[in-house]
Each structure stands twice: as structure tokens, then as C-alpha cells.
Amino acid sequence: MRVLLIEDDPDLGEGIRTSLREEGYTLDWLKDGESAVHALREEGFDLVVLDLGLPRLDGIQVLRQSRANGLTTPVLILTARDDTEDRVAGLDAGADDYLVKPFDIKELKARLRALLRRRNGPSQIQLEGGGIALDPATRRVTFDGQPVNLTPREYQLLHELLANPGKIFSRDRLMGLLYGWDEGVESNTLEVHIYNLRKKLRADLIRTVRGIGYRLECP
């Protein structure tokens, strides 16, 4: 899952980034409101964690402008403002949840999981195809009934492909899913993940569409 964190406190931002990446999220971090509006207009994210007290453009304005631009991504407001009026203003501007600083990182993770469940419906349906079974709730993967151990990024990649069987994903789209803007990666990193998935599952499950990208074949 790709998360956009919009937070100008360097220590808090670094702590959130480290914790969520350890959880398997792909996280991008911005520190001002104007950059956030641009990113939310131009790129796709699964979740947004938004501070209110931002430079250049405050969080409420970011949220209002982004919703007006058609943003449907779940947004969790993260702020030190604890007044009822502030919470109401954030929710009325289009926030889906509200967490007051200081907070426990475990609660933030739980709230993000809840937002994902809400977005995906009352329950996350097990994904199946080509002998693969993937349970989003437990992150358990089996192939022909046998458990398969995947790294967090292999899991993310398989989840995206299995959720959209037959769809061709460009290399850039998949790299954006797996890595944040500030993560230095080798040019063949995606190909290594594809190779490992083919080895752990079946060689012909993930097809290379020359000059375009990859797709999952699920007969």
C-alpha cells in the first residue's frame, strides 16, 4: 500500500516513515501544503496522513482543494489541535479519521488498517487465481495449497497483480507501488522481484509484455 505522509515535523515524520515502512507500506513524505496538493493531483496513493499545521498551505486547505480536484483516497488527519471545532472542520473538509498528537504509533497503524478495510468493504476478500490464494487480512499466501514465504515487496507486487488479473502494469507503475521517492534502487530491482515470484510460484504466471510491462496470467 502506498501512503503519502504530509508532516513538517522532521522527528515525527521520520518516526512515522520508519515505522510504516517496517510494516510493509510504501511511504512518500512531503513537508508543505502546496507540494502535497500537487502530488495528490498528479499521483495515486492508497492512504494519506495529513498534518493541519503545514507551511505554505494548511492541512484544511490541502484537503478541501484535493477533494475538489476529485481525490477519493482515505485521509487521516494528524494534528496537535484538540478542539472540537478543529475536528469538525477537518471532518467537514473531507477527512475520514482524526488522530490527536501525541499518539502511539500502534494506534496510527490500527487506524490506517481500519481505513483500508472501510475502503475495501466490510471484509477483505481472499484473492485467488492460477493456483494462488492470497488472504489480505493475514497476508498469508499459498500456491497449490502450499504456503509460500514472500518478502514484503514481493507480497505487495503479487497482491497488485492478483487483484487485477490480465491487466498490464507498466514498469513505472509497479516501481511506484514498491518504492518511495527517496529510496535509491538498482535499475533491475523490479526484475529481481519478478524473477523471485516466478521461482516461488510458477515461471509462466507473470508474463512480460515486451516494451510495456507485466501482467498476471490466471487461466
Side-chain angles (χ1 to χ4, degrees):
M1 294 294 173
R2 190 179 182 196
V3 178
L4 179 62
L5 170 64
I6 310 162
E7 169 62 63
D8 66 329
D9 184 313
D11 293 332
L12 178 59
E14 186 59 44
I16 293 172
R17 176 167 63 178
T18 300
S19 296
L20 292 188
R21 283 182 174 173
E22 288 175 351
E23 194 79 4
Y25 291 96
T26 299
L27 188 137
D28 292 311
W29 179 17
L30 293 174
K31 301 175 184 178
D32 72 88
E34 288 188 5
S35 298
V37 170
H38 176 77
L40 290 170
R41 184 174 60 245
E42 300 298 328
E43 302 199 36
F45 300 92
D46 298 295
L47 293 167
V48 178
V49 178
L50 173 66
D51 184 33
L52 291 187
L54 296 170
R56 301 178 68 189
L57 197 67
D58 72 30
I60 294 294
Q61 291 173 299
V62 170
L63 188 53
R64 284 176 177 159
Q65 289 189 28
S66 298
R67 291 301 191 206
N69 289 336
L71 180 74
T72 59
T73 304
V75 176
L76 184 148
I77 285 181
L78 196 64
T79 183
R81 303 176 188 175
D82 193 22
D83 293 338
T84 300
E85 290 184 3
D86 289 322
R87 293 199 298 272
V88 170
L91 294 170
D92 284 346
D96 298 274
D97 200 357
Y98 205 107
L99 186 58
V100 176
K101 304 173 186 177
F103 59 89
D104 190 308
I105 193 66
K106 293 180 181 178
E107 182 177 2
L108 174 62
K109 292 177 180 178
R111 286 176 180 267
L112 294 180
R113 291 194 297 269
L115 287 176
L116 286 172
R117 288 195 301 271
R118 196 181 309 164
R119 187 195 66 176
N120 295 330
S123 63
Q124 292 181 296
I125 300 173
Q126 178 168 288
L127 301 175
E128 298 180 351
I132 306 166
L134 183 152
D135 186 344
T138 62
R139 300 174 72 91
R140 184 172 184 267
V141 176
T142 62
F143 181 65
D144 288 342
Q146 299 301 311
V148 180
N149 293 320
L150 301 179
T151 67
R153 288 195 170 106
E154 289 168 0
Y155 174 86
Q156 284 182 278
L157 181 57
L158 180 62
H159 184 283
E160 191 74 6
L161 292 170
L162 192 58
N164 301 275
K167 178 179 177 179
I168 300 174
F169 287 89
S170 70
R171 189 179 188 282
D172 288 346
R173 171 68 182 87
L174 293 176
M175 287 296 288
L177 172 73
L178 298 178
Y179 293 98
W181 299 322
D182 63 336
E183 294 183 87
V185 294
E186 300 293 332
S187 60
N188 67 336
T189 299
L190 177 62
E191 286 70 26
V192 171
H193 292 317
I194 295 288
Y195 171 81
N196 288 336
L197 282 176
R198 286 169 171 162
K199 188 175 180 180
K200 292 178 180 181
L201 300 171
R202 197 176 74 219
D204 60 349
L205 273 175
I206 302 175
R207 179 183 173 189
T208 301
V209 182
R210 189 173 299 277
I212 303 177
Y214 299 92
R215 73 181 180 197
L216 187 71
E217 301 283 359
C218 288

